Amino acid sequence: WSSCGITAAERDVILLLCGGRTAPQIAAERGTQASTVRVQLKSIYAKTGLHSQQAIIAAVRSGLDPTYS
């Protein structure tokens, strides 16, 4: 995922998303606005070519780990 240019904040969003949290829950947990999380998700989509939260979760569960390069 690092090769995609995923930032540390975006990795955090991915991990929380995979933990079953929604964008508003992620925002509350991180102390940000839900709109910030949505912007980060759009950036993740653009960088990875994935197009949904479910696709991100599926990619991680199939062995692509966003916490390691």
Side-chain angles (χ1 to χ4, degrees):
W1 292 70
S2 294
S3 64
C4 296
I6 298 293
T7 66
E10 291 165 347
R11 279 193 307 272
D12 290 345
V13 169
I14 291 168
L15 292 173
L16 291 168
L17 186 67
C18 289
R21 291 169 186 82
T22 64
Q25 290 169 331
I26 293 169
E29 193 163 322
R30 297 182 68 231
T32 63
Q33 298 293 318
S35 60
T36 301
V37 174
R38 287 192 293 274
V39 167
Q40 290 170 322
L41 284 168
K42 287 180 184 179
S43 178
I44 293 165
Y45 299 151
K47 291 176 181 180
T48 62
L50 300 172
H51 302 288
S52 70
Q53 294 177 20
Q54 293 79 16
I56 293 169
I57 293 167
V60 171
R61 288 186 178 161
S62 70
L64 298 176
D65 189 339
T67 61
Y68 301 101
S69 55

